[in-house]
Amino acid sequence: MAEDTGFKRHFNAESARYLGERIRVVHPGFDVDGYGAQIGARVGPLELKDRALVMAEGLRARLPEHYPDALDVLRACMSALTDEDKGYADGFYLMAVTRFVEEFGVDHPEASLAAMPELTRHHTCEFAVRPFVSAHYEAAMAMMRSCAVHDDHDIRRFASEGIRPRLPWARRLPKFVADPAPVLEVLELLRSDPSKYVRTSVANNLNDVSRDHPGLVLDTAERWTRESPTPETAWTVRHALRTLVKQGDQRALALLGATGGEHVEVKGLALTPEVLDLGGPLLVRVDLVNTDGRPHTVVVDYVVHHVRANGSRSPKVFKWAKVELRAGERRTLERKHPVRPISTRSYYPGEHLVEIQVNGLVKAAEAFELRV
């Protein structure tokens, strides 16, 4: 049996019984023990989203057969939750409720869409809404536009997060990958949102769009900067353009105030140690020299070309610093780069290359040997 680690540990027999007990408060007779036993018997080899599905299927088997009646039970349960209930298992176990709507509610769009703003206050419906965008487009998008002007920041965030074209862990929305105009219509309402929580979602959404429509995102960012020059809009734009900045897009860099990359040289790139054991930090040190007679603001990134299993290399860009250099100024930068095992990257021994980018222009490169 797979070990319960990471987020998936929140979807097990214990969590099922905990949820079942909360449901029984508003729906007497709910089979808490049977629900817990069923979930415990099925989730062992499964990962997070499949575990949430198993819990949703267990709910479907024990709630009223008529979906709107079952949904009313879950809405009542969620409304009765205490702060302690919301804190249990970091609230992740409540994904079973939104997964229930995602899996069994598409044939009942009126009831399901009406419930989502309420449910998302307790656990986000960003995954649940996506099949409704595909199957009931007009109704779903009308609901999302209304959520974008709601007083509750959780609901406003949902308006953006639920329609991200490439939301991680979620089914892709090919309609919006091809034409993100309806997404941008919603984001227009949120570009200067007072909540950083909401603006982060808006920036992530625009960043998704930039992978397929960079010109459209740059046009949007330029217009937002011009029409609403607030600190909130500037923050949203800066974070939305991060992929384009990593790619060295000159329009994106100019929007962030970067100038004169061609006049800034990188001297004395040094990597310490030259032979690194996996788990230790790599110290990256460079000198930036502004050779121009004018001051410049530059965005400095570094690219690590990781060795792959077949011996080839795969580049990964890491943010470093935004630096203001006076005319003729020389500035030293140092950065400790961790090289340790993480769930999203496997390390292989061999010669890794590090490049220094200034305003998207590669200015220097050096290699280090990794021992695994």
Side-chain angles (χ1 to χ4, degrees):
M1 179 179 293
E3 183 183 0
D4 265 359
T5 59
F7 292 129
K8 72 178 184 180
R9 73 185 186 278
H10 299 314
F11 303 88
N12 55 24
E14 179 184 347
S15 294
R17 282 191 291 269
Y18 193 91
L19 175 58
E21 288 168 355
R22 272 81 206 145
I23 293 173
R24 189 162 58 186
V25 170
V26 299
H27 185 60
F30 185 86
D31 181 12
V32 175
D33 291 335
Y35 184 47
Q38 178 188 3
I39 302 313
R42 293 186 60 190
V43 298
L46 303 178
E47 296 302 324
L48 186 151
K49 291 205 72 180
D50 288 335
R51 289 182 173 214
L53 175 59
V54 165
M55 288 182 69
E57 290 172 343
L59 293 177
R60 176 70 282 190
R62 290 169 174 80
L63 290 174
E65 183 177 353
H66 186 50
Y67 171 83
D69 293 339
L71 182 60
D72 285 344
V73 171
L74 293 175
R75 292 177 71 172
C77 170
M78 297 286 262
S79 296
L81 293 176
T82 66
D83 289 341
E84 181 180 349
D85 295 331
K86 296 173 186 177
Y88 173 79
D90 299 327
F92 273 92
Y93 72 105
L94 297 174
M95 184 186 289
V97 175
T98 57
R99 188 65 187 268
F100 179 92
V101 177
E102 179 181 356
E103 292 297 324
F104 306 113
V106 177
D107 291 337
H108 300 272
E110 185 174 351
S112 297
L113 291 171
M116 285 186 192
E118 176 187 342
L119 295 177
T120 208
R121 285 173 161 162
H122 307 289
H123 186 87
T124 177
C125 286
E126 65 198 54
F127 302 128
V129 74
R130 298 172 83 81
F132 293 84
V133 172
S134 300
H136 307 286
Y137 175 77
E138 295 297 338
M141 291 305 293
M143 185 267 293
M144 298 304 266
R145 288 190 293 270
S146 70
C147 287
V149 295
H150 201 279
D151 290 341
D152 190 296
H153 72 157
D154 284 317
I155 296 174
R156 296 199 307 276
R157 177 190 177 273
F158 164 60
S160 167
E161 200 73 2
I163 56 175
R164 282 179 59 182
R166 299 177 179 274
L167 179 66
W169 293 6
R171 64 184 79 187
R172 187 171 296 180
L173 293 175
K175 179 181 181 69
F176 293 154
V177 172
D179 178 14
V183 176
L184 296 181
E185 181 182 350
V186 175
L187 299 188
E188 288 284 344
L189 304 170
L190 301 167
R191 64 188 182 185
S192 297
D193 198 276
S195 168
K196 184 178 178 181
Y197 182 53
V198 176
R199 294 197 308 274
T200 297
S201 176
V202 174
N204 289 340
N205 199 328
L206 270 184
N207 188 56
D208 280 359
V209 175
S210 75
R211 300 176 189 278
D212 302 292
H213 304 274
L216 177 60
V217 168
L218 287 165
D219 291 343
T220 300
E222 288 174 349
R223 179 170 56 78
W224 285 7
T225 301
R226 182 176 65 253
E227 293 177 353
S228 55
T230 66
E232 292 79 11
T233 302
W235 190 97
T236 303
V237 167
R238 183 168 65 253
H239 288 269
L241 298 181
R242 61 186 184 273
T243 293
L244 294 176
V245 167
K246 287 180 179 181
Q247 294 171 350
D249 186 283
Q250 295 303 301
R251 281 182 68 191
L253 286 158
L255 268 170
L256 301 186
T259 64
E262 67 276 15
H263 298 293
V264 175
E265 296 182 358
V266 171
K267 302 287 189 181
L269 169 59
L271 307 179
T272 308
E274 296 180 0
V275 179
L276 177 69
D277 291 320
L278 181 63
L282 179 74
L283 180 64
V284 184
R285 183 186 183 280
V286 297
D287 287 340
L288 303 180
V289 182
N290 181 6
T291 62
D292 197 16
R294 298 167 296 171
H296 289 294
T297 299
V298 294
V299 175
V300 183
D301 302 319
Y302 63 101
V303 187
V304 179
H305 294 258
H306 298 98
V307 173
R308 304 171 69 179
N310 62 5
S312 64
R313 289 176 176 156
S314 176
K316 168 70 175 176
V317 181
F318 296 89
K319 303 302 299 176
W320 194 342
K322 187 176 182 180
V323 182
E324 296 180 2
L325 295 171
R326 298 186 302 273
E329 181 180 1
R330 186 185 189 104
R331 180 88 61 86
T332 299
L333 296 183
E334 288 188 347
R335 176 72 171 264
K336 283 187 177 180
H337 176 74
V339 183
R340 59 175 180 266
I342 57 176
S343 61
T344 56
R345 181 178 303 117
S346 297
Y347 285 98
Y348 298 94
E351 187 177 76
H352 290 56
L353 185 69
V354 176
E355 294 176 333
I356 307 300
Q357 288 186 174
V358 177
N359 287 2
L361 305 174
V362 176
K363 294 286 187 169
E366 190 59 78
F368 71 95
E369 187 78 16
L370 179 64
R371 293 190 301 210
V372 177

